[in-house]
């Protein structure tokens, strides 16, 4: 009876329902932001500013790898670029801190936000669709956080090191606080979103919009699109684009495999239905 009421809900009822999910999602983000604000010093030193220092995990790992194969350390000099950041706007530090806290709050709250979105769209799905998409929340959360972590430990430190050390005009590279926070947020959220492509491919394949034939036919065109996406979500230097392009190509091939799996499963289901008839 309750399911029937959900299906017969008016358009205005859906709007009110959506509003409730959005309000709860915003509250979850603000709760996450408050937690980030409470632990701001730790988050700032150990998370936001950490990739600017030679003590960062990625730099140390690469140096250890170089030593293990008998070559000189890749990053031989000690550095801390955070000491070189400048603030040129009176309210720049306040704005940067609030923005960073909100984004960190979103990252913390993303599983719950995805859950609220799923609760909104779930009543509109058939029983069979619900059964095949029960792992949607876990899948979206996994791919998003994997993208964030990949960006944080690989793309971001390589971009920082390359852009700070690249000096063709023999002048010092001086960054502002706002430019670094924009780079930080752009790369983390950008990669988190594009890592969701396999999830989108799965859902589009389930409703018949995307097929494996389409993805394989336009594979060369997809490479151009991937390069454009890599340029948008990175600082547009060659190093960052190369690092971003590799996982995006892997995700594209993984999406081809997913659509093939869904497509073949649908063909088998249709064949069983024909046999029953």
């Amino acid at each position: 009876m309750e399911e029937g009421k959900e299906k017969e809900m008016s358009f205005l009822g859906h709007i009110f329902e959506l509003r409730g999910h959005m309000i709860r999602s915003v509250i979850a983000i603000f709760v996450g932001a408050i937690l980030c604000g409470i632990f701001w010093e730790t988050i700032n030193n150990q998370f936001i500013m950490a990739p600017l220092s030679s003590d960062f995990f990625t730099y140390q790992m690469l140096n250890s790898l170089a030593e293990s194969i008998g070559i000189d350390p890749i990053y031989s000099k000690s550095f801390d670029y955070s000491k070189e950041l400048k603030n040129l706007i009176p309210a720049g530090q306040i704005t940067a801190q609030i923005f960073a806290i909100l984004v960190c709050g979103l990252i913390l709250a993303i599983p719950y936000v995805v859950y609220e979105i799923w609760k909104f769209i779930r009543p509109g799905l058939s029983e069979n669709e619900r059964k095949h998409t029960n792992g949607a929340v876990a899948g979206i959360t996994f791919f998003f956080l994997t993208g964030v972590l990949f960006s944080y430990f690989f793309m971001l430190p390589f971009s920082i090191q390359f852009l700070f050390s690249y000096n063709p005009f023999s002048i010092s590279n001086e960054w502002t606080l706002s430019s670094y926070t924009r780079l930080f947020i752009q790369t983390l959220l950008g990669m988190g979103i594009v890592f969701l492509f396999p999830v989108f491919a799965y859902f589009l394949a389930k409703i018949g919009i995307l097929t494996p034939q389409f993805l394989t036919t336009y594979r060369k065109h997809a490479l151009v699109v991937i390069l454009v996406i890599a340029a948008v979500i990175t600082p547009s230097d060659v190093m960052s684009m190369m690092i971003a392009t590799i996982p995006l190509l892997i995700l594209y091939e993984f999406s081809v495999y997913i659509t093939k799996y869904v497509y073949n499963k649908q063909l088998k289901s249709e064949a069983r239905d024909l046999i029953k008839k």
Side-chain angles (χ1 to χ4, degrees), residues 58-74:
T58 303
Y59 305 133
Q60 295 296 318
M61 179 189 67
L62 290 173
N63 281 345
S64 298
L65 181 62
E67 291 176 5
S68 66
I69 59 177
I71 63 175
D72 293 333
I74 299 173

Side-chain angles (χ1 to χ4, degrees), residues 85-154:
L85 294 181
K86 297 184 181 345
N87 175 47
L88 303 179
I89 305 171
Q93 296 209 42
I94 297 173
T95 304
Q97 183 183 24
I98 292 174
F99 196 27
I101 284 175
L102 288 174
V103 171
C104 291
L106 170 62
I107 293 173
L108 283 180
I110 199 67
Y112 183 79
V113 172
V114 172
Y115 172 70
E116 285 293 338
I117 296 172
W118 172 242
K119 278 180 64 179
F120 176 71
I121 65 174
R122 191 174 187 273
L125 301 176
S126 66
E127 189 63 35
N128 188 51
E129 288 171 332
R130 293 181 190 180
K131 183 177 68 176
H132 288 94
T133 54
N134 281 334
V137 175
I140 293 173
T141 302
F142 170 78
F143 280 104
F144 178 82
L145 293 181
T146 300
V148 169
L149 291 174
F150 174 84
S151 175
Y152 182 71
F153 285 107
F154 291 97

Side-chain angles (χ1 to χ4, degrees), residues 17-243:
E17 184 76 14
L18 177 61
R19 185 186 68 171
H21 291 294
M22 290 180 66
I23 289 174
R24 287 190 290 273
S25 297
V26 171
I27 290 173
I29 293 171
F30 272 105
V31 170
I34 289 171
L35 289 173
C36 292
I38 293 172
F39 298 100
W40 168 251
E41 188 173 348
T42 300
I43 290 173
N44 181 53
N45 296 333
Q46 303 298 325
F47 179 60
I48 298 175
M49 293 296 173
L52 294 169
S53 171
S54 57
D55 294 332
F56 189 58
F57 170 79
T58 303
Y59 305 133
Q60 295 296 318
M61 179 189 67
L62 290 173
N63 281 345
S64 298
L65 181 62
E67 291 176 5
S68 66
I69 59 177
I71 63 175
D72 293 333
I74 299 173
Y75 304 103
S76 56
K77 295 182 180 179
S78 177
F79 59 86
D80 187 356
Y81 297 132
S82 65
K83 306 298 182 184
E84 300 179 30
L85 294 181
K86 297 184 181 345
N87 175 47
L88 303 179
I89 305 171
Q93 296 209 42
I94 297 173
T95 304
Q97 183 183 24
I98 292 174
F99 196 27
I101 284 175
L102 288 174
V103 171
C104 291
L106 170 62
I107 293 173
L108 283 180
I110 199 67
Y112 183 79
V113 172
V114 172
Y115 172 70
E116 285 293 338
I117 296 172
W118 172 242
K119 278 180 64 179
F120 176 71
I121 65 174
R122 191 174 187 273
L125 301 176
S126 66
E127 189 63 35
N128 188 51
E129 288 171 332
R130 293 181 190 180
K131 183 177 68 176
H132 288 94
T133 54
N134 281 334
V137 175
I140 293 173
T141 302
F142 170 78
F143 280 104
F144 178 82
L145 293 181
T146 300
V148 169
L149 291 174
F150 174 84
S151 175
Y152 182 71
F153 285 107
F154 291 97
M155 197 165 72
L156 186 63
F158 283 117
S159 297
I160 290 170
Q161 182 64 25
F162 176 79
L163 294 173
F164 256 109
S165 60
Y166 189 71
N167 188 11
F169 296 99
S170 300
I171 61 174
S172 61
N173 286 317
E174 295 185 352
W175 289 16
T176 63
L177 175 64
S178 60
S179 65
Y180 172 67
T181 53
R182 278 199 305 270
L183 171 66
F184 184 87
I185 292 167
Q186 174 187 341
T187 53
L188 262 65
L189 290 186
M191 287 302 288
I193 292 170
V194 298
F195 261 60
L196 294 176
F197 183 70
V199 179
F200 294 139
Y202 175 81
F203 281 108
L204 291 175
K206 286 293 293 181
I207 60 179
I209 294 178
L210 192 62
T211 64
Q213 292 82 3
F214 178 86
L215 292 178
T216 52
T217 301
Y218 292 97
R219 185 179 270 116
K220 292 181 180 178
H221 301 78
L223 176 59
V224 178
V225 176
I226 286 172
L227 290 173
V228 172
I229 293 173
V232 171
I233 63 176
T234 64
S236 298
D237 62 281
V238 177
M239 176 69 72
S240 302
M241 287 180 63
M242 288 176 58
I243 295 171

